[in-house]
């Protein structure tokens, strides 16, 4: 879509030019009628001026089409032409006595005078041609409107175009400024809307900041922001309440599982309850983060990674998978966030790799200045499956194991930390899941740690 200001300016410029030319046409049509004799004098003088040729000591009036048309329309036409001492006369039998003598040496210009008998008028016009002054005295011309209008336009076409362009430019500039004012008002509303936090859209756009024409739009936006804010608050309350309500049953279930007599079944149930408890904890941490109920503090991502890998050591040992930590620089990797939430997100990635990385023999956690990556050497994901994993209830396991909520919650946790979850994979080349934070404090010194689980 084109610019409002440009469209407005072009449209009004064309309209203004059309109006100007229409008014000019009306002027040409009416003006000669009101001052017929003077306008006729100017037209006849222009016709004779273009027909007159001065060559040496001879003054000739050529029979141009316009002059022949004038003679045909004016049976009593007469004129006398003079240039210095040169004279040329037509229709002398119709010429009355004149108050001027020939050759004419008066000032340059045009005017209408009465004859000496006061019974008729004649046109007197003088133009400068080099060193000579061409004088014309004309009587009884019958000038038609078409010739008057045509001559008027031909003699003043440059001036008319200049005035038309100036008029159109003035209107276009004025309309562009007006349109720019409107578009800037819209831009201010858009910037105010963009400044509202999508996760907490409580801010409203003040109606006093916008023109009257935009107030209905702003009122609609404010109402939409209010409804979105109410929905987000309700969703967050539900998420927090659900997580709180699930913790107690899970604790009781864990206690009852200890009474299961079969060791293999008990271990499997404990593992499932642990995963479910981790999911509930992540939901609660996410609710707290979104409600800004938890203060973010500097935490050591390297220490959390080591502890999470140690927690998954027994599970990795049972699965025959090696867990390793690759840290390029020794020392802490500090990020700003919530310890429990980041720990839950990282545990989710490691647990996801242990469960869903088919054929994996080694899982490596790589620490860098901007976060941590979990790499496996499994079968990888099909092309285009990375984006689906971030949707709720989507997993990379074709067998259907897992609730499919983990990575979606990890993404939300990272968004609450102004970071992101990045997934890259290729069939047969394994999968890499990375937690990227906006700002980290770079540790110093190289080191590498491997946790052997076999």
């Amino acid at each position: 879509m084109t610019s409002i200001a440009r469209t407005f300016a072009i449209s009004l410029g064309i309209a203004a030019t059309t109006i100007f030319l229409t008014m000019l046409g009306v002027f040409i049509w009416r003006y000669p009628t009101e001052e017929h004799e003077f306008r006729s004098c100017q037209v006849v003088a222009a016709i004779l001026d273009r027909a007159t040729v001065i060559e040496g000591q001879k003054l000739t009036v050529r029979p141009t089409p316009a002059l022949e048309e004038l003679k045909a329309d004016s049976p009593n036409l007469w004129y006398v032409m003079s240039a210095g001492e040169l004279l040329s006369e037509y229709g002398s039998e119709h010429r009355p006595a004149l108050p001027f003598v020939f050759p004419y040496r008066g000032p340059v210009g045009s005017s209408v005078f009465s004859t000496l008998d006061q019974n008729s008028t004649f046109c007197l016009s003088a133009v400068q041609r080099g060193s000579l002054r061409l004088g014309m005295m004309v009587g009884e011309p019958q000038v038609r409107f078409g010739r008057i209008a045509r001559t008027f336009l031909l003699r003043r076409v440059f001036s008319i175009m200049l005035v038309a362009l100036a008029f159109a430019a003035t209107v276009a500039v004025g309309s562009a400024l007006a349109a720019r004012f409107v578009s800037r008002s819209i831009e201010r509303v858009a910037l105010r809307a963009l400044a509202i936090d999508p996760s907490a859209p409580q801010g409203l756009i003040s109606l006093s900041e916008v023109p009257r024409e935009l107030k209905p739009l702003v009122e609609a936006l404010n109402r939409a922001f209010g409804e979105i804010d109410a929905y987000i608050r309700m969703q967050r309350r539900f998420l927090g309440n659900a997580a709180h309500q699930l913790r107690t049953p899970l604790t009781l279930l864990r206690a009852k599982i200890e009474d299961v007599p079969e060791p293999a079944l008990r271990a499997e149930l404990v593992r499932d309850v642990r995963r479910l408890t981790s999911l509930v904890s992540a939901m609660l941490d996410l609710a707290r983060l979104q409600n800004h109920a938890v203060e973010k503090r500097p935490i050591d991502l390297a220490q959390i990674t080591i502890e999470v890998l140690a927690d998954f050591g027994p599970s990795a040992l049972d699965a025959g998978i090696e867990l390793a930590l690759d840290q390029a620089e020794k020392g802490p990797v500090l990020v700003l966030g919530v310890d429990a939430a980041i720990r839950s997100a990282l545990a989710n990635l490691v647990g996801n790799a242990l469960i869903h990385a088919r054929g994996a023999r080694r899982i490596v956690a790589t620490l860098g200045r901007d976060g941590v990556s979990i790499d496996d050497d499994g079968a990888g994901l099909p092309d285009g499956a990375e984006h689906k994993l971030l949707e709720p209830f989507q997993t990379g396991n074709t067998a259907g194991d897992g609730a499919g909520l983990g990575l979606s919650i990890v993404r939300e946790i990272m968004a609450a930390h102004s970071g992101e979850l990045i997934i890259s994979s290729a069939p047969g080349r394994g999968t890499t899941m990375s937690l990227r934070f906006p700002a980290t404090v770079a540790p110093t010194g190289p080191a590498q740690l491997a946790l052997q689980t076999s």
Side-chain angles (χ1 to χ4, degrees):
M1 184 176 291
T2 57
S3 167
I4 294 177
R6 184 184 307 165
T7 304
F8 196 40
I10 293 176
S11 301
L12 282 186
I14 294 174
T17 304
T18 303
I19 294 172
F20 175 81
L21 294 177
T22 302
M23 294 175 62
L24 180 64
V26 173
F27 166 78
I28 295 174
W29 176 67
R30 290 188 57 84
Y31 190 66
T33 304
E34 296 172 355
E35 299 187 14
H36 180 75
E37 289 186 347
F38 182 72
R39 305 305 301 171
S40 297
C41 175
Q42 288 187 317
V43 171
V44 172
I47 293 174
L48 290 173
D49 183 17
R50 285 195 291 270
T52 300
V53 178
I54 302 174
E55 296 177 342
Q57 297 299 318
K58 187 177 181 180
L59 186 150
T60 306
V61 180
R62 296 180 294 108
T64 63
L67 180 58
E68 293 303 311
E69 182 181 349
L70 179 63
K71 289 179 179 180
D73 294 338
S74 311
N76 297 323
L77 177 71
W78 62 266
Y79 61 79
V80 180
M81 309 289 295
S82 67
E85 300 300 327
L86 303 177
L87 291 176
S88 177
E89 186 174 356
Y90 172 80
S92 58
E93 66 275 13
H94 304 299
R95 176 170 60 85
L98 302 176
F100 296 97
V101 296
F102 295 98
Y104 176 75
R105 293 183 173 84
V108 174
S110 299
S111 187
V112 177
F113 295 93
S114 296
T115 58
L116 289 177
D117 57 12
Q118 301 296 315
N119 292 328
S120 61
T121 60
F122 69 96
C123 170
L124 172 62
S125 180
V127 296
Q128 193 71 31
R129 280 199 180 184
S131 60
L132 294 178
R133 181 163 300 175
L134 179 64
M136 295 166 276
M137 296 183 190
V138 187
E140 301 297 334
Q142 302 296 321
V143 180
R144 290 184 297 186
F145 167 73
R147 187 184 299 123
I148 293 176
R150 185 166 59 251
T151 305
F152 179 85
L153 291 174
L154 289 174
R155 296 183 66 180
R156 292 167 175 80
V157 63
F158 179 76
S159 299
I160 292 173
M161 292 299 297
L162 190 62
V163 173
L165 289 175
F167 185 72
T170 302
V171 175
V173 170
S175 60
L177 292 176
R180 186 57 182 162
F181 171 76
V182 174
S183 61
R184 286 199 174 190
S185 300
I186 297 175
E187 288 175 4
R188 284 197 299 270
V189 173
L191 291 176
R192 284 285 292 114
L194 290 173
I196 296 176
D197 184 4
S199 61
Q202 304 98 335
L204 299 179
I205 303 173
S206 175
L207 293 178
S208 62
E209 300 178 3
V210 298
R212 182 173 59 255
E213 293 79 6
L214 295 179
K215 286 185 178 180
L217 173 62
V218 174
E219 289 175 349
L221 286 175
N222 287 340
R223 184 168 60 251
F225 285 141
E227 293 175 358
I228 293 172
D229 182 53
Y231 174 77
I232 291 176
R233 289 177 180 273
M234 180 180 66
Q235 185 184 49
R236 289 172 179 172
R237 283 196 302 270
F238 171 79
L239 185 61
N241 292 336
H244 274 295
Q245 295 297 326
L246 286 173
R247 275 190 165 183
T248 300
L250 287 175
T251 302
L252 296 176
L253 182 61
R254 178 69 180 270
K256 293 179 179 180
I257 289 175
E258 297 297 332
D259 297 333
V260 175
E262 297 182 16
L265 178 60
R266 183 171 63 247
E268 184 176 354
L269 291 175
V270 168
R271 183 169 60 252
D272 291 340
V273 170
R274 184 187 298 118
R275 290 182 58 244
L276 185 57
T277 302
S278 175
L279 179 61
V280 171
S281 298
M283 291 172 61
L284 184 58
D285 293 336
L286 177 59
R288 288 173 176 173
L289 281 169
Q290 290 178 334
N291 287 318
H292 307 286
V294 179
E295 182 182 358
K296 298 176 184 177
R297 298 180 178 179
I299 57 177
D300 186 1
L301 186 60
Q303 183 63 33
I304 291 178
T305 304
I306 293 174
E307 293 174 0
V308 168
L309 292 178
D311 291 340
F312 280 93
S315 299
L317 184 62
D318 293 340
I321 298 177
E322 174 190 350
L323 291 182
L325 174 66
D326 185 0
Q327 185 174 0
E329 298 180 358
K330 185 183 295 184
V333 177
L334 299 180
V335 296
L336 189 65
V338 179
D339 184 286
I342 296 178
R343 190 181 298 271
S344 175
L346 186 58
N348 206 310
L349 295 189
V350 177
N352 187 79
L354 286 173
I355 295 172
H356 300 298
R358 299 185 304 278
R361 305 303 302 168
R362 192 167 189 263
I363 297 174
V364 180
T366 304
L367 278 166
R369 295 184 178 183
D370 57 350
V372 59
S373 299
I374 304 299
D375 306 274
D376 67 69
D377 58 357
L381 299 173
D383 292 335
E386 297 90 336
H387 300 292
K388 294 182 180 180
L389 289 180
L390 297 177
E391 300 299 326
F393 305 106
Q394 296 291 333
T395 71
N397 194 329
T398 57
D401 295 337
L405 285 174
L407 294 181
S408 176
I409 291 180
V410 171
R411 181 184 62 179
E412 296 297 331
I413 289 175
M414 293 306 297
H417 285 82
S418 300
E420 59 180 336
L421 167 64
I422 301 175
I423 302 176
S424 60
S425 181
R429 297 184 182 180
T431 303
T432 299
M433 298 190 181
S434 305
L435 302 181
R436 297 298 179 211
F437 294 87
T440 58
V441 179
T444 57
Q448 184 172 6
L449 172 66
L451 300 179
Q452 301 295 332
T453 57
S454 57

